[in-house]
Amino acid sequence: MKFFIRRFFTLIITLFFVALLTFLAFEIIPGDAALTRLGIDAEQADIEALREQLGLNQTVLYRFFRFILGAVCGDFGVSIQYKVPVIQLMSERLPVTIWLAGLSMLLILLVSLPLSLVGIESKNGKLHRIITFSNQIIMAVPPFFLGMLFSLIFGIWMKLFVPGSYPGTEMFGKFLRYMIFPAIAVALPKIAMTVNFMQSSVLAQMKQDYVRTAKSKGNSRKRILFHHVLKNALIPSVTFFAMTAADVLAGSIVVEQVFNLPGIGRMLITAISYRDFPVVEAAVLYIAVVVILINFFVDLAYQKLDPRIQITD
Amino acid sequence: MKKSKFFLLALVISVVLCGCGSRKEGDNKTQEKESNSQTQTEGSGEDSSTETKVYGGSVIVGITQDLDSLDPHKAVAAGTEEVLFNIYEGLVKPDRDGNLVPAVAESYTMSEDGTIYTFSLRENIKFHDGTSVTAEDVIYSIKRCAGLLETSDPEVITVSALSCIKEVEALKGEGQKDQIQITLNEPNTELICYFTCAIVPEHIKDLEQNPIGTGPFRFVSYTPLQKFVIEKNKDYYLEGVPYLDEVTFKISANTDSAFLELSAGGIDIFPYLTSEQANQIPDTFEVKTGTMNLVQGLFLNNKKAPFDQKQVRQALFYAIDAKQILEMVGGGAGNIIRTNMFSSFSKYYNTQLDMTYSYNIEKAKELLKQAGYPDGFSFTIQVPSNYQYHIDTAQVIVEQLKQVGITAKIQLIEWSSWLSDVYKARNYEATIVGLDANLAPSDVLKRYCSKASNNFLNYENSEFDEVFAKAVATISDEEKVTFYKDLQRILNEDAASVYLQDPPLLVAVNKKLSGYTFYPVYVQDMATVYYKNAQ
């Protein structure tokens, strides 16, 4: 229980600092919401009036704490550009990003685990070499490029989907059919990395003394692998998996641009260019929460995998 | 040789422009009369004689910028105004030749001294919600634009040119049409261009959620970052337009993803092709070429050394080969300009300047030597990062300037930062952007007045200020034209900046469609677009 409370406080403190950093970054970068909103022909008087209305003339401290207080109460304010509450804007965009990231994670799990085992099983075999070789290539390809490649191959040549024509969540079948391509684009390089990591992790374990002992007791290779090695090899892999999750989120933001997905990422980028501070702050905080939560679950998973790791205090 | 080539180019462009423009207008009229059946055959026209216009159908237009506001008086981005053009109309609106034709007003008159404008309202004109347009709505709209309402919304962009309005009133005679009389504090014969400001219903207070105007299309829905949908206004006061039942403006993240979608058949019209994309366009599309109606230039801070010296600015003019830029960046389309005026603004455009500053490295070196920079110098060009066309232009310029020993460095800068640092704070050496303006020539040139608040070039020339004051004050059209041409000459001689081109606007249009029209302002008019008969 104590663990949870401590974790909760860490979460709050981390979020506070993330909010502060985002806020400060916005203070430092040039550009001003009122000026950006009113554009090139704006009269100085209008800019001043709008600054006043948006509360940009208040002191930095006042604005920051007003934002924090609002956020604690679940009120992130109103988007400067769209004039709707940020919460509403977020809740419309969130499902897209969550589905994209979720599908990618699922793909990574479903593909990389069996693939790495197959690779190890046929160690030094042809399959192993093919997997290692293609891993090297795929790892080096950034998701946005894969996205463009997919649009060209699956979209324009094979006509499996129409690039850029995001169908919305209403028709779930169509939605899923469209989302699978950006999900693969995000997942593929991560799959390659995960397979590589898993393989080396397993192979490192295979050199350990306990494997030799198990072998000398007459266990089959398969039994050693599944009963002894895998569990030990999984611990570093879980850490890696958590890092991947954060990466997948970042990758989705970029891929959203390529596939025209109206997710958090596109919203974030548009909001930054409009200096729409409330939206940026909310989106950044959301991403921070997700990353922190993933880390939290990873800690829990450690304990399950290896009882020696004690989460006490 | 150079001269004739350029001339040919201009000729081709103007032929293309006129070709897809005026002919159809004439045809429109002949066929509007018998527009009961679904399709008609056009009577005249050489190449389009077999073409038939189909009423109905829907079209998807690709755009790359999200709308900044659905309230026409709050919208700033050119990318928003070009879309809202289909929904809102002013008392007058521009036609394809840059003339202002009556829209909400049926006709207008200007008093001889240029101080009183009188507009007669069109009879039976209705807003999209079914209510009639009243004189009160017009007065409200104009006052809102001019910042004359008692409670003003700071987000409404005040049109400073309209601040010379003293009074807006309705003249209501018995048995007469409603008239609006606008009295000015001082004479201004160019003010009519500003009455393109949208007429909106006074009773709608949330135009941003509920955009209602008088245009040929009415609003259906808007999903931020996804699409903006409009449908045919069945009660439009002009017979026979629009043709299309529905138009969807699809918001893509960037031109690349929009082009992919176009290639896959998801977009019918896409107005922002790059010249490379234009070369790869699928067979089902044709590329139409117009101009963006921008003055693109390497704009110089006239107060920052070494650009405070006229010779240096002139040297840059000679050292930059605008023709090469046009070919490398614009694919050969577009018009070279040598002063701050749009070439399509033919009444005022000073054609005599076209042949000045032809590419000449020796001359540039000579001028640099005179200015005390025989070995060149180095400076930074700030380019807004969201305009690939300007970035590409900058790259060509950097290479060209190496020839005369000038080292230019490109610094990409976000649009918001450009606005605050370059445009407002004037803290820069050089920048590449495209300047646009209202259809009034004074609006194009005003920024060069020493005291103008938007004189981000820090240009100062008392002769210019004098001539400008005369140009605005005179009510003789002939004199006006002479003065404005003279102003362009002054800017050219002073080399206030290095003026490059009016960039080409390459539009991909599905071959099934016809009627796409270019305007001297930046708009996507969907009212003229129709499906050709498939047969």
Side-chain angles (χ1 to χ4, degrees):
Chain A
M1 198 56 217
K2 234 175 177 180
F3 164 71
F4 283 98
I5 295 169
R6 233 181 75 155
R7 260 314 161 103
F8 184 73
F9 274 110
T10 331
L11 176 86
I12 298 294
I13 291 167
T14 317
L15 284 183
F16 179 82
F17 278 105
V18 169
L20 183 67
L21 277 178
T22 319
F23 188 86
L24 287 180
F26 242 71
E27 284 301 309
I28 292 163
I29 54 171
D32 160 289
L35 180 58
T36 310
R37 177 74 197 79
L38 295 177
I40 197 158
D41 291 322
E43 297 285 312
Q44 196 57 38
D46 287 343
I47 297 174
E48 284 308 319
L50 186 58
R51 285 185 63 89
E52 193 61 48
Q53 192 193 10
L54 294 175
L56 295 176
N57 288 336
Q58 310 278 9
T59 58
V60 179
L61 233 77
Y62 176 86
R63 280 184 290 137
F64 180 65
F65 281 102
R66 200 186 53 174
F67 168 77
I68 291 290
L69 278 179
V72 169
C73 309
D75 173 21
F76 286 92
V78 176
S79 157
I80 295 173
Q81 190 196 356
Y82 295 110
K83 319 277 180 326
V84 292
V86 173
I87 292 290
Q88 184 194 332
L89 214 55
M90 290 278 289
S91 60
E92 285 163 13
R93 309 277 170 290
L94 256 182
V96 182
T97 308
I98 290 180
W99 269 103
L100 179 58
L103 275 177
S104 316
M105 286 309 280
L106 198 69
L107 277 172
I108 295 172
L109 265 179
L110 288 184
V111 178
S112 61
L113 230 74
L115 209 60
S116 42
L117 290 181
V118 167
I120 292 161
E121 270 301 270
S122 66
K123 189 180 171 246
N124 300 327
K126 226 182 195 160
L127 203 58
H128 179 77
R129 269 192 307 231
I130 292 174
I131 291 175
T132 320
F133 178 72
S134 45
N135 265 351
Q136 297 296 337
I137 295 175
I138 295 170
M139 248 193 298
V141 185
F144 78 89
F145 181 73
L146 275 179
M148 291 177 140
L149 211 64
F150 283 6
S151 298
L152 186 69
I153 296 171
F154 300 118
I156 292 172
W157 292 348
M158 294 168 72
K159 306 226 179 296
L160 293 178
F161 74 107
V162 181
S165 63
Y166 169 72
T169 41
E170 298 88 38
M171 289 162 294
F172 193 70
K174 268 190 169 175
F175 171 75
L176 217 57
R177 192 173 155 171
Y178 187 81
M179 291 300 272
I180 196 74
F181 294 99
I184 297 175
V186 175
L188 214 51
K190 297 290 157 214
I191 289 174
M193 280 184 204
T194 315
V195 168
N196 243 17
F197 188 85
M198 287 278 282
Q199 284 187 349
S200 57
S201 172
V202 168
L203 291 178
Q205 288 293 327
M206 288 297 240
K207 296 197 182 90
Q208 298 279 326
D209 288 346
Y210 72 88
V211 175
R212 198 179 50 207
T213 316
K215 209 173 192 174
S216 59
K217 277 165 76 184
N219 285 309
S220 71
R221 189 181 148 83
K222 211 167 236 159
R223 199 182 147 77
I224 298 171
L225 188 63
F226 284 100
H227 278 245
H228 302 274
V229 171
L230 209 54
K231 215 171 171 185
N232 286 308
L234 267 180
I235 294 167
S237 302
V238 166
T239 320
F240 185 77
F241 203 66
M243 280 154 62
T244 308
D247 265 9
V248 162
L249 257 165
S252 336
I253 289 176
V254 180
V255 167
E256 276 173 19
Q257 308 282 324
V258 180
F259 286 88
N260 254 344
L261 297 174
I264 295 284
R266 250 185 92 191
M267 186 181 79
L268 183 63
I269 289 173
T270 316
I272 291 174
S273 61
Y274 275 101
R275 298 291 184 268
D276 196 344
F277 171 73
V279 176
V280 174
E281 188 76 81
V284 170
L285 282 182
Y286 155 75
I287 293 169
V289 168
V290 171
V291 173
I292 293 168
L293 282 183
I294 289 171
N295 275 313
F296 173 70
F297 286 119
V298 166
D299 283 349
L300 287 187
Y302 278 153
Q303 205 181 17
K304 272 264 171 286
L305 284 170
D306 187 352
R308 281 173 307 179
I309 299 173
Q310 286 289 317
I311 301 172
T312 48
D313 197 321
Chain B
M1 190 55 214
K2 228 174 208 172
K3 187 172 174 172
S4 65
K5 247 189 186 167
F6 171 65
F7 193 72
L8 202 71
L9 186 80
L11 199 74
V12 168
I13 288 170
S14 56
V15 166
V16 169
L17 276 172
C18 300
C20 52
S22 51
R23 191 185 321 122
K24 253 138 233 166
E25 176 62 34
D27 293 344
N28 253 353
K29 278 178 188 139
T30 55
Q31 59 89 230
E32 265 160 22
K33 298 278 181 289
E34 73 251 320
S35 62
N36 257 337
S37 58
Q38 273 281 308
T39 63
Q40 274 95 26
T41 321
E42 282 187 8
S44 57
E46 313 95 285
D47 56 352
S48 55
S49 56
T50 53
E51 191 180 294
T52 53
K53 294 177 180 179
V54 179
Y55 276 86
S58 58
V59 153
I60 299 174
V61 183
I63 54 176
T64 52
Q65 211 181 2
D66 201 0
L67 307 180
D68 60 351
S69 178
L70 303 187
D71 183 332
H73 301 155
K74 293 184 182 176
V76 179
T80 307
E81 284 169 8
E82 67 176 351
V83 170
L84 294 184
F85 182 79
N86 294 291
I87 292 187
Y88 297 105
E89 288 176 326
L91 287 167
V92 291
K93 68 196 268 189
D95 73 357
R96 56 177 63 91
D97 303 315
N99 303 315
L100 292 160
V101 293
V104 173
E106 195 175 53
S107 61
Y108 70 90
T109 53
M110 178 182 71
S111 68
E112 251 173 47
D113 61 351
T115 54
I116 299 173
Y117 286 76
T118 315
F119 295 88
S120 306
L121 283 193
R122 205 179 275 276
E123 264 178 297
N124 296 325
I125 181 168
K126 286 195 170 102
F127 285 116
H128 296 149
D129 63 351
T131 54
S132 295
V133 180
T134 64
E136 284 68 37
D137 292 321
V138 176
I139 294 171
Y140 166 78
S141 303
I142 289 179
K143 282 190 169 169
R144 194 168 184 242
C145 279
L148 295 173
L149 289 181
E150 271 154 35
T151 50
S152 70
D153 182 340
E155 279 192 59
V156 169
I157 314 292
T158 317
V159 182
S160 56
L162 290 176
S163 62
C164 64
I165 290 179
K166 192 161 85 185
E167 210 168 7
V168 189
E169 55 195 342
L171 300 178
K172 285 190 178 170
E174 298 100 62
Q176 266 191 332
K177 283 178 222 159
D178 280 359
Q179 288 193 319
I180 308 290
Q181 180 175 301
I182 296 167
T183 317
L184 312 182
N185 284 322
E186 59 204 49
N188 187 336
T189 56
E190 292 173 38
L191 204 66
I192 188 68
C193 313
Y194 296 96
F195 293 116
T196 52
C197 86
I199 302 301
V200 297
E202 192 177 359
H203 60 274
I204 303 283
K205 295 298 171 205
D206 58 340
L207 281 171
E208 280 171 75
Q209 271 72 45
N210 197 8
I212 284 179
T214 58
F217 288 92
R218 45 191 279 173
F219 171 75
V220 177
S221 69
Y222 167 56
T223 324
L225 294 177
Q226 287 185 57
K227 60 188 175 183
F228 179 75
V229 186
I230 54 179
E231 64 177 13
K232 180 177 181 167
N233 175 10
K234 293 200 178 74
D235 299 326
Y236 194 53
Y237 55 83
L238 286 181
E239 287 281 317
V241 280
Y243 302 94
L244 299 169
D245 283 341
E246 193 182 77
V247 178
T248 304
F249 289 92
K250 206 142 181 261
I251 303 155
S252 291
N254 49 51
T255 49
D256 292 326
S257 60
F259 189 71
L260 272 176
E261 196 175 350
L262 178 144
S263 308
I267 288 178
D268 301 309
I269 296 176
F270 181 60
Y272 314 97
L273 288 179
T274 63
S275 57
E276 298 98 73
Q277 287 173 344
N279 292 331
Q280 306 165 11
I281 199 97
D283 288 341
T284 47
F285 284 85
E286 61 180 322
V287 178
K288 305 221 179 233
T289 312
T291 55
M292 287 189 185
N293 297 298
L294 295 174
V295 173
Q296 190 213 29
L298 174 68
F299 293 98
L300 306 170
N301 188 343
N302 282 235
K303 280 249 168 72
K304 269 241 160 85
F307 302 126
D308 52 350
Q309 291 190 58
K310 190 165 147 187
Q311 283 112 322
V312 174
R313 300 196 300 263
Q314 286 176 333
L316 283 186
F317 230 136
Y318 281 113
I320 293 172
D321 185 357
K323 197 156 167 284
Q324 192 188 22
I325 295 175
L326 208 70
E327 262 151 32
M328 291 185 74
V329 186
N335 296 342
I336 293 178
I337 44 178
R338 313 268 73 174
T339 186
N340 199 96
M341 183 60 71
F342 319 115
S343 50
S344 58
F345 220 0
S346 48
K347 183 175 169 189
Y348 298 100
Y349 182 67
N350 190 341
T351 47
Q352 286 168 5
L353 304 173
D354 277 353
M355 296 309 145
T356 54
Y357 297 108
S358 47
Y359 182 54
N360 189 337
I361 291 186
E362 292 314 311
K363 187 114 188 216
K365 281 182 178 160
E366 180 62 36
L367 282 163
L368 281 177
K369 205 186 268 173
Q370 281 173 25
Y373 294 96
D375 305 319
F377 55 92
S378 56
F379 72 104
T380 306
I381 309 174
Q382 306 216 14
V383 191
S385 57
N386 51 338
Y387 293 105
Q388 192 57 44
Y389 195 88
H390 299 322
I391 299 171
D392 294 343
T393 305
Q395 277 158 352
V396 180
I397 287 179
V398 166
E399 290 307 312
Q400 290 178 347
L401 288 180
K402 278 184 191 160
Q403 307 283 320
V404 291
I406 299 175
T407 317
K409 208 178 82 204
I410 299 173
Q411 189 188 5
L412 295 186
I413 172 168
E414 226 200 332
W415 178 246
S416 292
S417 312
W418 187 89
L419 272 177
S420 64
D421 286 3
V422 176
Y423 196 72
K424 281 283 163 196
R426 302 181 191 177
N427 183 19
Y428 74 104
E429 291 177 304
T431 183
I432 297 180
V433 284
L435 298 177
D436 73 340
N438 216 307
L439 275 171
S442 59
D443 198 45
V444 185
L445 291 163
K446 201 178 88 191
R447 73 168 76 253
Y448 291 94
C449 293
S450 312
K451 296 276 178 308
S453 63
N454 57 355
N455 181 357
F456 74 105
L457 307 138
N458 282 323
Y459 177 74
E460 259 180 52
N461 183 335
S462 51
E463 188 195 354
F464 185 94
D465 294 351
E466 263 170 48
V467 180
F468 186 83
K470 282 190 210 157
V472 173
T474 184
I475 51 172
S476 146
D477 205 40
E478 209 174 311
E479 271 183 40
K480 226 180 219 319
V481 172
T482 321
F483 283 137
Y484 280 128
K485 286 195 173 168
D486 206 33
L487 288 174
Q488 294 167 50
R489 177 193 57 81
I490 297 172
L491 290 182
N492 173 277
E493 273 170 18
D494 268 353
S497 278
V498 182
Y499 304 104
L500 300 169
Q501 53 170 319
D502 186 352
L505 179 64
L506 304 173
V507 184
V509 182
N510 194 312
K511 281 184 179 159
K512 286 186 218 153
L513 293 165
S514 190
Y516 184 87
T517 308
F518 288 102
Y519 282 80
V521 282
Y522 201 45
V523 295
Q524 303 297 332
D525 186 3
M526 290 299 122
T528 58
V529 175
Y530 56 87
Y531 275 97
K532 293 186 274 195
N533 199 354
Q535 53 91 31

